[in-house]
Amino acid sequence: MDTWTFGWTLALIGMGGTMLILWILSLLILLIRKIFPYQTDKAAVKKG
Amino acid sequence: MESALVSGLQGLLLGVSNLGPGQVIMLVIASTLLYLGIKKGYEPLLLVPIGFGAILVNIPLADMMGKEGFLRFFYDAGVLTEVFPLLIFIGIGAMTDFQPLLENPKIILLGAAGQFGIFLTLLLALALGFEKLDAVAVAIIGACDGPTAIYVSSKFAPHMLGAVSVAAYSYMSLVPLIQPPIMRALTSEKERQIVMGVAKREPISKTTKIVFPIVVTIFASILAPKGAPLIGTVMLGNLMRESGVVDRLKNAAENEITNIVTLLLGLCIGATMDSADPRPGIYRHQLGYRGGGAFRQAHVRDDGRQD
């Protein structure tokens, strides 16, 4: 693989791959938030 | 008696007689780094040990990076094994609050912006004639991230560690100088006066904060096993922070470990700036980085060919 093919391949795969992984990670965060929602305040509201 | 005196005096002059022009140049460069760190306040935590390490390694006959030199010991144990940057990453994880990210996961895509810097720098480095792996090490400078630049250089181009680290940290310290004129050029005064409100977000549970580093470690490490040490150490530090059950370890990671490793890492990086280093091109590489692209284009390798 010549230098420029290497450079452009790495750049395109790298940027595309990173965007994809970060997008999946943001979905994962939303999933974690759904599974473990914030509850302390809700409990306080119920008591109040 | 007389001969003993002469021999003693000769011994005193041995260092001077072994001082070459390369060492003098590197001592001047090291002093400049110290000046920038101490007087100008550019990343002093890094530039002071780096500059001093560069002084130590260029003292004739001191052999600091020799087989039994004390800098060689720390370099082999901490830099070649990549342990030092990883220990710093534990500290970074312990200092990082991911709450804003967990509240608004979309902002994770801002991290992708760093990638544009990396790959733009990669293409630029290749255009300037760097070897592929050397260009990869140089590219990380574009992400404005010192510890990652050190980690990647020690993995792919250890001979360029000093130059890449100094370039990365110098670049980061120049951001306050580079950014304002760009911001002024891209925005109007009216736009700059907009006061941004604080968006109300759904609060995040403690469990989410604890589970987040564990899930990210598993997910990212399975996808990119080679990056597991990096992401793993950052997330370990963050888990220690969020779990709240290992405050002593968290405090140690944030303070003592990070401080000690920063000192040793800086010294080791400085120690790679040895004018007598036999590896081709390293000395010129170091000059080339500091001199910028024009200097780099005039780079001639030891074997005489242009690269």
Side-chain angles (χ1 to χ4, degrees), chain B residues 70-95:
Chain B
F70 99 97
L71 289 177
R72 167 63 62 189
F73 170 78
F74 288 120
Y75 182 82
D76 288 350
V79 178
L80 281 189
T81 58
E82 297 151 16
V83 163
F84 282 170
L86 295 180
L87 287 172
I88 287 185
F89 271 107
I90 297 179
I92 291 173
M95 289 180 229

Side-chain angles (χ1 to χ4, degrees), chain B residues 240-254:
Chain B
M240 294 195 302
R241 172 196 172 95
E242 299 299 347
S243 66
V245 292
V246 283
D247 276 349
R248 276 170 53 197
L249 298 185
K250 187 208 91 172
N251 290 337
E254 267 182 357

Side-chain angles (χ1 to χ4, degrees), chain B residues 155-235:
Chain B
K155 215 172 178 67
F156 294 120
H159 58 285
M160 287 174 34
L161 186 63
V164 168
S165 318
V166 172
Y169 280 99
S170 310
Y171 170 42
M172 282 159 62
S173 63
L174 284 173
V175 165
L177 294 178
I178 299 168
Q179 213 173 28
I182 297 173
M183 284 160 64
R184 272 196 292 272
L186 296 177
T187 56
S188 67
E189 196 172 342
K190 199 178 168 189
E191 284 169 331
R192 289 196 296 274
Q193 284 174 345
I194 294 172
V195 179
M196 291 173 71
V198 180
K200 274 206 165 184
R201 306 251 175 224
E202 196 184 322
I204 301 300
S205 70
K206 188 172 169 60
T207 317
T208 301
K209 289 184 190 174
I210 294 172
V211 170
F212 173 71
I214 302 169
V215 170
V216 169
T217 303
I218 295 169
F219 171 73
S221 302
I222 288 173
L223 279 178
K226 294 268 183 197
L230 277 181
I231 197 78
T233 45
V234 173
M235 290 301 153

